[in-house]
């Protein structure tokens, strides 16, 4: 389905630029712990699929497996380890009285930590995943409050959809490559935890306003701030 629907270039309004994937392995048997952080066939297939669609960026839930490890680290599985995606961990809502408050963005208790087995940073970012109002499977009109990285990932993906739309409006129908959008989100995130990227928060808490401000600056004044290239 992703192969048929993913955007391969700009201006393809019938194709998708984003997708959300709130599912993964639920590892409860210690004999399967070797799968944590492993670049599996699932991750490889996801990367190969996306290699042909330079404008499609999937958002993947990091998983809620942190309690499966004594340290909490190396608890990410399946295509959450893939390279051409954004893997999203979960934190509390960073809002206090309607104002952004990073001190409130504590990690969700089960949000999985990286790294990938090859040392890559995972998750890539974190987003609010605690007590979000979401659709449920009990009926067509059923909604409920839920927590976990399966809530954080669509939260971040929905924010990215606003950035895709804003860029299109700013450029009269243009689109960012998936790698450009990922770089934009990562480098405008609010750093949390250890200084710089780490295996708990990735590059930090997604900051959609900061990313939109960067798009505005690039499209209206300083195009050199966003370099889109294949080889450096």
């Amino acid at each position: 389905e992703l192969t048929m629907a993913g955007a391969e270039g700009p201006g393809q309004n019938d194709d998708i630029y984003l997708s959300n994937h709130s599912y993964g392995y639920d590892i409860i048997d210690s004999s399967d712990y070797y799968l944590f952080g492993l670049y599996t066939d699932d991750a490889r297939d996801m990367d190969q699929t996306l290699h042909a669609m330079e404008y499609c960026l999937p958002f993947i839930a990091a998983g809620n497996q942190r309690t499966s490890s004594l340290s909490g680290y190396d608890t990410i599985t399946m295509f959450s380890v893939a390279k051409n995606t954004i893997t999203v961990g979960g934190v509390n809502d960073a809002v206090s009285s309607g104002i952004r408050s990073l001190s409130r963005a504590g990690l969700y208790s089960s949000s999985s930590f990286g790294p990938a087995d090859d040392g890559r940073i995972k998750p890539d970012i974190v987003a609010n995943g605690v007590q979000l109002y979401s659709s449920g499977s009990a009926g067509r009109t059923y909604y409920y409050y839920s927590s976990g990285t399966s809530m954080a990932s669509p939260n971040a993906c929905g924010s990215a959809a606003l950035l895709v739309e804003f860029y299109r409006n700013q450029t009269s129908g243009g689109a960012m490559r998936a790698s450009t959008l990922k770089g934009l989100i990562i480098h405008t995130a609010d750093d949390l935890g250890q200084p710089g990227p780490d295996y708990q928060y990735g590059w930090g808490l997604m900051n959609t306003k900061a990313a939109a401000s960067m798009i505005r600056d690039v499209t209206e004044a300083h195009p050199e701030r966003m370099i889109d290239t294949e080889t450096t």
Side-chain angles (χ1 to χ4, degrees):
E1 292 175 346
L2 192 61
T3 300
M4 293 186 296
E8 298 179 6
Q12 299 183 12
N13 294 327
D14 292 335
D15 293 335
I16 61 169
Y17 290 91
L18 304 165
S19 61
N20 176 68
H21 306 266
S22 289
Y23 44 84
Y25 292 136
D26 184 16
I27 295 179
I28 56 177
D29 190 330
S30 59
S31 65
D32 291 328
Y33 281 5
Y34 74 95
L35 291 169
F36 286 130
L38 184 66
Y39 191 74
T40 62
D41 290 348
D42 293 307
R44 179 203 61 194
D45 292 346
M46 174 66 84
D47 281 335
Q48 288 181 341
T49 297
L50 294 170
H51 183 70
M53 346 179 146
E54 298 180 17
Y55 289 79
C56 180
L57 180 61
F59 284 69
I60 315 290
N64 308 305
Q65 297 276 307
R66 182 150 42 111
T67 56
S68 298
S69 165
L70 291 177
S71 67
Y73 290 97
D74 190 17
T75 51
I76 294 179
T77 63
M78 207 175 175
F79 44 67
S80 299
V81 182
K83 303 171 184 178
N84 297 333
T85 63
I86 284 195
T87 302
V88 186
V91 295
N92 290 291
D93 195 7
V95 175
S96 177
S97 301
I99 299 174
R100 190 171 180 85
S101 175
L102 295 179
S103 64
R104 298 178 66 90
L107 281 163
Y108 175 63
S109 58
S110 299
S111 184
S112 292
F113 291 165
D117 285 353
D118 57 12
R120 282 180 295 116
I121 296 291
K122 287 291 176 178
D124 297 297
I125 58 166
V126 292
N128 179 19
V130 178
Q131 287 296 292
L132 270 68
Y133 196 55
S134 178
S135 57
S137 60
R140 293 185 178 183
T141 60
Y142 178 69
Y143 286 79
Y144 73 127
Y145 288 93
S146 185
S147 300
T149 61
S150 288
M151 296 290 104
S153 183
N155 176 10
C157 188
S159 298
L162 296 176
L163 297 176
V164 169
E165 181 181 23
F166 184 56
Y167 188 87
R168 180 184 295 129
N169 293 339
Q170 288 287 108
T171 58
S172 300
M176 291 176 280
R177 294 177 185 270
S179 54
T180 304
L181 178 58
K182 181 176 180 177
L184 172 69
I185 292 171
I186 281 175
H187 291 294
T188 55
D190 290 317
D191 189 24
L192 295 173
Q194 297 294 324
D198 59 60
Y199 298 137
Q200 298 182 353
Y201 297 91
W203 273 264
L205 178 65
M206 183 173 180
N207 188 330
T208 313
K209 181 179 180 182
S213 295
M214 173 70 80
I215 289 174
R216 184 184 297 278
D217 188 45
V218 166
T219 56
E220 295 183 359
H222 299 100
E224 72 279 1
R225 294 192 68 191
M226 188 180 288
I227 302 172
D228 190 355
T229 183
E230 293 184 359
T231 304
T232 56

